[in-house]
Amino acid sequence: MVMEEGRPGPSKPAGDRRPQKRQKKDKQHDKQQPCEGFSIKAMMKNSVVRGPPPAGSVKERPAKHTAFRKFYERGDFPIAVQHECGGNKIAWKVQIEELDYHYFLPLFFDGLCETEFPYEFFARQGVHDLLEHGGNRILPVVPQLIIPIKNALNLRNRQVLCTTLKVIQHLVVSAEMVGVALVPYYRQILPVLNIFKHMNVNLGDGIEYGQQKRENIGVLIQETLELFERYGGENAYINIKYMIPTYWSCM
């Protein structure tokens, strides 16, 4: 049979088209389909289970305006900046010993959440000045300091964490029995320290310059826990071990 030019050839039988459709369907099934875990779809062929979302335990939380900022902008604090060659200091307009610690010390601790100048500077330096001159007036105020400390730690901000840990260390050694008074509040303070305890820098033979400014969070947490154990009395280690199982006694 001779086919004439310009005329289409005989149509293909229906049986020749079916394998092509099957190939298209097979290609569609070969594509991996994402699905949620522990579902019926996850048991099907070519399904890929999505991994769990990040827990966000070390994610930084947004900071809110503190009462310290409000009182500072209103001019309720008797403080000013004193510029010196070695760095800025706080010039107190009254004697620190004459201040009401039940009123001022919790407010300055509340300012530990601040990260902007001059609020961060006044809160940090003011806390250290009050703790240095507080003496026996610090112990009765300890219960009022727990919530500001907890709020500062819960921000998960690296700068705020370092500042708060240094303040806690100063607080423990500032007066007698303060370390013992902090033991009942370990449940509010230690959970965040347990998260960041192993956040240490392993440089091998390298040099970590953050040690000069004491900005290594893992080292600061270890120092804080050891101070808790030394000054917290006989029940300190048991309570620390309950909240941070990886901690080993330093005594």
Side-chain angles (χ1 to χ4, degrees):
M1 179 178 174
V2 180
M3 296 180 59
E4 297 180 3
E5 295 182 359
R7 290 186 180 182
S11 60
K12 294 183 180 181
D16 296 343
R17 298 177 184 176
R18 290 177 183 174
Q20 295 178 1
K21 292 182 179 180
R22 288 177 182 174
Q23 290 176 1
K24 291 181 180 180
K25 291 181 179 180
D26 292 341
K27 289 180 180 179
Q28 292 178 359
H29 284 294
D30 289 341
K31 294 181 180 179
Q32 297 179 343
Q33 299 178 356
C35 61
E36 301 294 336
F38 303 101
S39 61
I40 298 177
K41 204 171 183 181
M43 309 281 293
M44 299 175 63
K45 185 179 179 182
N46 298 328
S47 61
V48 179
V49 179
R50 297 192 187 97
S57 60
V58 297
K59 185 179 179 181
E60 183 178 336
R61 270 60 167 173
K64 299 179 182 179
H65 290 312
T66 61
F68 176 85
R69 175 180 294 207
K70 175 183 176 182
F71 279 70
Y72 174 78
E73 292 176 347
R74 204 165 62 182
D76 289 351
F77 295 132
I79 53 178
V81 182
Q82 180 179 349
H83 300 282
E84 295 184 358
C85 298
N88 297 333
K89 293 183 179 180
I90 292 182
W92 293 88
K93 299 177 182 179
V94 298
Q95 295 294 329
I96 299 179
E97 292 78 5
E98 299 176 359
L99 295 174
D100 183 6
Y101 270 62
H102 284 275
Y103 178 78
F104 284 101
L105 191 58
L107 283 175
F108 275 87
F109 266 81
D110 184 63
L112 294 176
C113 297
E114 296 289 348
T115 57
E116 299 178 3
F117 185 85
Y119 313 106
E120 183 271 337
F121 165 73
F122 279 118
R124 171 175 47 83
Q125 192 62 38
V127 165
H128 286 294
D129 290 349
L130 289 172
L131 292 178
E132 186 176 353
H133 297 84
N136 297 329
R137 291 178 295 173
I138 297 174
L139 182 59
V141 194
V142 168
Q144 303 178 41
L145 308 179
I146 303 305
I147 293 179
I149 291 175
K150 181 181 177 182
N151 293 337
L153 294 176
N154 282 334
L155 290 180
R156 268 85 163 171
N157 184 296
R158 306 303 187 270
Q159 176 187 351
V160 175
L161 273 174
C162 293
T163 302
T164 307
L165 289 171
K166 295 174 185 177
V167 167
I168 293 175
Q169 293 179 14
H170 194 175
L171 175 64
V172 172
V173 300
S174 60
E176 295 183 0
M177 302 300 295
V178 172
V180 178
L182 288 172
V183 173
Y185 304 103
Y186 283 174
R187 290 175 180 266
Q188 285 76 33
I189 299 174
L190 297 186
V192 177
L193 304 190
N194 188 29
I195 296 173
F196 290 91
K197 183 177 183 296
H198 300 288
M199 186 170 286
N200 207 336
V201 181
N202 186 5
L203 299 179
D205 295 335
I207 300 174
E208 185 194 355
Y209 295 97
Q211 290 180 349
Q212 299 176 358
K213 299 181 180 180
R214 300 183 66 211
E215 295 177 349
N216 190 318
I217 297 178
V219 174
L220 285 174
I221 291 176
Q222 184 65 27
E223 294 176 356
T224 306
L225 295 176
E226 291 178 0
L227 284 175
F228 279 160
E229 184 182 358
R230 289 194 182 100
Y231 292 87
E234 57 183 7
N235 295 325
Y237 175 71
I238 299 174
N239 289 273
I240 295 174
K241 189 70 173 178
Y242 179 78
M243 299 302 300
I244 305 180
T246 57
Y247 175 75
W248 290 95
S249 177
C250 64
M251 298 175 64

